[in-house]
Amino acid sequence: MKYILVLYILYSFCGKCSALSKNEVIWPLFDSPPSIILEGTNQGQGNVDLIMQFIQNTLRDYSHVNMVMNYERFFKFAQSNTITVCAIGVDKTPDRLKFLYYSVPTTIELAPAMIVRKDELKNFIAQQEVSLKETLNNTQLKGVFVAGNTYTSEADILIAAYKNKAHINIRNYRKAQLLELLMRKRIDYFLHPPSAINYLTMQLGKERIFASLVVKEIPSHTLGYTVCNKTLTGKRVIEEVSMLLRRKRSSLEYLDMLGKWQDKNSLQQILKIYHDDFLNQMN
C-alpha cells in the first residue's frame, strides 16, 4: 500500500512538471555525498550531480525529472516498468541485468572501507586491513549496512549471510546518520568509500574521530554505469548515453567531473583506473 501511494505521488509530481509521456524520465537523487549533494552550499555539485546534468542537458528530447529517493525505492520503481527511471553510478550485478539496461561505464567507484572510531581500533586488526567475514562473525561488534546499496558482489554475499543476526542491522540510513551512530558508539562499524567519509567529516568538523580500514574481501574498485529500467524509453536513453560517453569520456572536462571532491590518494587511484580500465571498457 505504501508503494502504491508513493507511485501515485510520483505521478502527481510528474504531472506538474510536464504532461506524462513516453519521453518522461525520472532520475533519483540518492543521499550519497559527495557523489550527489542534496543540501548546503555545495548542493548539486557532486561528481554524479555534474555528470547527470551533462547527460540531461545533452539528451534534450526527454523530459527529465529529478527526485530524492533511497536505493530501495529506486529499484522498486525500476522493476515495475510503469514509468521510466534511470540512475547514474550503479554497479552491474546478474540480478540487476534482468530488469535494467546498462550503458558503457560512467563512473569509477573506489572500494568501500570499514569505517570505525579511532579510539576503538583495538577491536579490529591493528593493521590497515581487516576481514569482513571475521568482523561479521564477531557478535560483539555491531555493524550497519544501507538497504538496497551494493558493496561489491563479494561483500554483498557475505553481508546477506548475516542479515538476520542481532548484531547486524540493514535498513535505510542517510550517510550522516551512520556517522552520528558511530560517534555515539551505538554501532562499531559500517562500510563506505573513504573519500566520501572525508568529505562528510570535514563538513561536520569531525575529521580526527574516524579511521578507514581496507577490507580484504573487497576489490580495489568497481565501475559504475548509467542504467534505465526496461521500457522503450529506457532502452533509447541508454543507447544515446552510451554514444555520448564514448565521445566524451576521454575529455578533460569529463575527467574533472570524475575526480570532483576526491582526496589526493583517491584521485591518484582514479587516474590510474581511468587510463588502465575505464576508457578501455566500451560495452
Side-chain angles (χ1 to χ4, degrees):
M1 183 64 186
K2 183 179 178 182
Y3 171 63
I4 295 172
L5 177 60
V6 170
L7 192 58
Y8 172 76
I9 293 171
L10 181 59
Y11 270 110
S12 299
F13 176 82
C14 294
K16 294 177 182 178
C17 301
S18 63
L20 198 62
S21 72
K22 62 183 180 181
N23 286 334
E24 187 127 42
V25 181
I26 309 300
W27 297 82
L29 299 178
F30 301 125
D31 172 46
S32 57
S35 296
I36 296 176
I37 303 174
L38 298 179
E39 54 192 15
T41 56
N42 299 321
Q43 183 178 2
Q45 293 302 305
N47 65 316
V48 169
D49 285 318
L50 297 176
I51 293 170
M52 187 183 300
Q53 294 162 22
F54 167 66
I55 288 173
Q56 291 178 352
N57 289 339
T58 305
L59 274 61
R60 299 191 179 189
D61 291 336
Y62 304 90
S63 177
H64 301 288
V65 180
N66 298 337
M67 285 196 75
V68 176
M69 66 177 77
N70 58 43
Y71 297 105
E72 275 195 315
R73 186 161 295 166
F74 167 73
F75 287 116
K76 284 182 179 178
F77 287 142
Q79 292 177 73
S80 73
N81 282 343
T82 53
I83 54 175
T84 297
V85 290
C86 300
I88 294 171
V90 176
D91 293 347
K92 187 180 288 187
T93 69
D95 183 59
R96 292 176 181 176
L97 284 166
K98 297 173 185 176
F99 60 91
L100 292 174
Y101 291 122
Y102 278 77
S103 72
V104 297
T106 310
T107 61
I108 296 170
E109 314 292 334
L110 296 182
M114 189 170 291
I115 311 302
V116 303
R117 288 178 59 97
K118 285 184 178 178
D119 59 4
E120 297 291 338
L121 277 171
K122 62 182 181 296
N123 294 324
F124 302 85
I125 294 175
Q127 294 84 11
Q128 294 299 303
E129 190 173 79
V130 65
S131 166
L132 177 59
K133 183 176 181 179
E134 291 176 8
T135 305
L136 287 166
N137 200 43
N138 187 338
T139 58
Q140 301 302 308
L141 297 175
K142 294 180 180 178
V144 298
F145 303 91
V146 178
N149 195 22
T150 295
Y151 295 96
T152 71
S153 57
E154 294 86 350
D156 291 345
I157 291 170
L158 288 172
I159 294 166
Y162 288 83
K163 64 181 180 180
N164 295 320
K165 302 295 184 180
H167 65 294
I168 302 299
N169 196 346
I170 303 174
R171 53 179 289 189
N172 285 311
Y173 289 101
R174 297 193 68 181
K175 305 305 183 293
Q177 286 179 299
L178 296 174
L179 288 172
E180 183 70 19
L181 289 170
L182 196 53
M183 279 193 290
R184 294 179 179 274
K185 299 188 177 183
R186 301 286 298 276
I187 62 172
D188 296 295
Y189 66 93
F190 63 91
L191 298 182
H192 207 60
S195 60
I197 294 302
N198 291 342
Y199 174 85
L200 285 168
T201 54
M202 282 192 293
Q203 300 299 305
L204 296 170
K206 305 289 185 181
E207 299 99 314
R208 298 180 182 180
I209 293 178
F210 306 102
S212 301
L213 300 174
V214 174
V215 181
K216 291 180 181 178
E217 295 91 342
I218 297 180
S220 63
H221 74 279
T222 58
L223 300 180
Y225 300 78
T226 301
V227 299
C228 295
N229 58 335
K230 292 190 174 182
T231 64
L232 291 176
T233 298
K235 183 178 182 180
R236 291 203 311 273
V237 168
I238 290 303
E239 289 171 350
E240 293 179 34
V241 167
S242 290
M243 287 191 291
L244 172 66
L245 293 177
R246 289 187 185 104
R247 295 197 311 269
K248 297 295 185 179
R249 287 187 309 166
S250 59
S251 69
L252 287 176
E253 177 190 11
Y254 199 89
L255 181 57
D256 285 344
M257 289 189 287
L258 284 178
K260 184 81 170 178
W261 302 113
Q262 301 293 333
D263 56 52
K264 183 177 179 181
N265 180 57
S266 297
L267 186 57
Q268 289 176 342
Q269 293 179 63
I270 283 174
L271 284 171
K272 179 171 174 42
I273 297 163
Y274 176 78
H275 291 293
D276 294 350
D277 187 11
F278 183 78
L279 291 180
N280 296 324
Q281 300 288 334
M282 300 303 291
N283 295 301

